[in-house]
Amino acid sequence: MNTQATDLLVSGGKIVEADGVREEDVLLSGGLVAARGPGLEAPEGCEVIDASGKLVFPGLVDSQVHFREPGFPHKEDIASGALAAIAGGVTAFCEMPNTTPSTTDPAALEDKLARARGRAAADHAFFLGATEENADKLGDWENAVGCAGIKVFMGSSTGSLLVPDDATLERVLRSGSRRVAVHSEDDPMLKEAYANIGDGISVVDHPTVRSVECAVRSTTRLLDLVEKTDRKVHLLHVSTAEEVEILRERDLGELVTAEVTPNHLFLTAPHCYEEYGSYAQMNPPVRDARHQEVIRGGLADGTITCIGSDHAPHTAEEKAKPYPHCPSGIPGVQTILPLLMTAVRDGWLRAEDVSRVASKAACDIYGIEGKGSLSVGSDADVTIFDPDERGPLKLEWLRSRVAWSPFVGMELAGWPTLTILRGRVAYKDHELVGEPSGQPLRYRAS
Ligand code: DOR
């Protein structure tokens, strides 16, 4: 098997891109897509990958993952998180700043890039976290090499990052021009809810503690400030039907893009908490079927354009603590594609929608260069999905260090069996191939 960036011809498959599905071959050379078309001839010395009966996606781009390095590598480190990514056909990830210490200045960003070098098996960038202290400096820092942009926590979640009030948030939005990623839950409402938690509470109550109103109030505050400042934002992990309606009604065009996680698409309360306990606990919470239906509709009609996994590993021991002391977060970087393909099997997404929301969208939203399609000249990042590998999700396939998922046992519509990163086979048949060779992502000027 070829592990160098020499020529590869992926032949006989169906190429699935945002604008359609085509029976074409794709020739990869020098790390880029060199040619596309039906019945391409393999140049001399070129290795051929037979993709007959398979779907050929541009590598997925996951713009919301939480790895735990520095700080808590027993949960995940950059190497293990990136391994889970490439195993799931995710060839690029953008990692969040709520590590320990938090990534809140250029030195911390440099540190993560150095840690990723030679250890990350997928391309990568790292977010800088906004705080009261750094709010006015972010504009000077946001274009550093390997910087994914700025992340705001309007509500406290894992870690200590917080932009506590509108005045600070406005300073953040006025500093810089790249799209800002926002975790939108209202912190004063969260503080009050946690202060009033009584005896007998359990994880089933998580969507009440972190309520619909808490998400709606925060998102309303955010959109008011977006209009006031004209700053672009990306609303992460939308969890309520009401926010989808607000996005439609306010229709702020390019200013506001939105993301949903597979967890909010494929789990429903209260069943998920009854069945999986705190393994289904994340922030903002998975809610009931009414929310799920509207969110799915929002994804189908383009109100929500992007999937992010919000991969957020915690160990089984940590998850076993009683609510509310068990940490929030669900691993998921590896299972995006097989989960979304169950939506195609079940008829509420098309394969090209999957490519659009899981591969192209993050590139459009954040200005990532070279990824998201297999047009000639793009990075040769390819994910081959085998619909014949359907069946229950197996625990032993998972590569995250925490090695659990609420989706283990779920009947999947197939599995990504081979991942190519910049023209080189990086993962095949459940094994890493060669040395990790991820590089920092490149961004268009905003
Ligand atoms: O559930 C969550 N877990 N939501 C977040 O915002 C953070 C994440 C984590 O890092 O554990």
Side-chain angles (χ1 to χ4, degrees), residues 28-107:
L28 314 176
S29 183
L32 301 175
V33 176
R36 277 276 300 270
L40 288 185
E41 287 286 319
E44 208 180 310
C46 170
E47 188 171 333
V48 178
I49 294 177
D50 180 7
S52 311
K54 304 192 174 61
L55 301 180
V56 178
F57 286 84
L60 271 61
V61 179
D62 187 350
S63 48
Q64 194 191 177
V65 301
H66 302 266
F67 299 158
R68 307 301 189 189
E69 182 183 355
F72 300 104
H74 70 279
K75 298 177 197 258
E76 196 83 284
D77 61 21
I78 292 173
S80 62
L83 178 62
I86 205 83
V90 172
T91 49
F93 64 84
C94 306
E95 203 259 354
M96 289 296 164
N98 58 328
T99 42
T100 306
S102 305
T103 318
T104 52
D105 61 29

Side-chain angles (χ1 to χ4, degrees), residues 54-250:
K54 304 192 174 61
L55 301 180
V56 178
F57 286 84
L60 271 61
V61 179
D62 187 350
S63 48
Q64 194 191 177
V65 301
H66 302 266
F67 299 158
R68 307 301 189 189
E69 182 183 355
F72 300 104
H74 70 279
K75 298 177 197 258
E76 196 83 284
D77 61 21
I78 292 173
S80 62
L83 178 62
I86 205 83
V90 172
T91 49
F93 64 84
C94 306
E95 203 259 354
M96 289 296 164
N98 58 328
T99 42
T100 306
S102 305
T103 318
T104 52
D105 61 29
L109 176 72
E110 266 300 316
D111 175 57
K112 279 194 175 170
L113 286 164
R115 289 168 184 269
R117 213 166 293 137
R119 289 173 66 230
D123 286 355
H124 46 265
F126 299 97
F127 279 93
L128 281 170
T131 66
E132 283 180 278
E133 290 72 35
N134 71 12
D136 306 312
K137 300 181 192 137
L138 296 167
D140 294 335
W141 297 346
E142 66 176 2
N143 291 313
V145 170
C147 180
I150 306 305
K151 164 76 181 280
V152 166
F153 281 90
M154 290 178 71
S156 305
S157 190
T158 303
S160 56
L161 284 172
L162 184 65
V163 172
D165 51 42
D166 285 355
T168 314
L169 182 54
E170 184 169 343
R171 283 168 52 211
V172 173
L173 296 178
R174 290 197 187 282
S175 178
S177 60
R178 290 179 69 180
R179 189 178 294 276
V180 177
V182 183
H183 178 126
S184 177
E185 290 182 284
D186 186 82
D187 207 58
M189 287 187 75
L190 288 177
K191 289 218 161 63
E192 197 184 329
Y194 279 101
N196 290 321
I197 278 182
D199 292 343
I201 194 139
S202 83
V203 70
V204 180
D205 302 306
H206 191 54
T208 313
V209 173
R210 303 183 80 110
S211 64
V212 170
E213 297 71 36
C214 170
V216 167
R217 181 178 294 183
S218 175
T219 294
T220 304
R221 284 172 45 209
L222 175 67
L223 298 191
D224 289 347
L225 282 174
V226 164
E227 283 198 287
K228 185 173 173 191
T229 60
D230 231 19
R231 182 74 183 266
K232 288 179 287 188
V233 297
H234 187 45
L235 183 61
L236 300 172
H237 39 44
V238 172
S239 69
T240 68
E242 282 77 356
E243 286 169 285
V244 176
E245 295 302 341
I246 289 170
L247 288 170
R248 286 189 184 124
E249 274 162 26
R250 295 189 61 161

Side-chain angles (χ1 to χ4, degrees), residues 289-324:
R290 176 178 77 85
H291 296 287
Q292 187 192 55
E293 198 184 320
V294 175
I295 290 170
R296 284 183 175 191
L299 186 67
D301 76 9
T303 307
I304 297 169
T305 57
C306 185
I307 297 284
S309 71
D310 195 10
H311 179 84
H314 300 282
T315 65
E317 291 75 26
E318 291 156 351
K319 281 289 195 181
K321 291 180 186 169
Y323 188 82

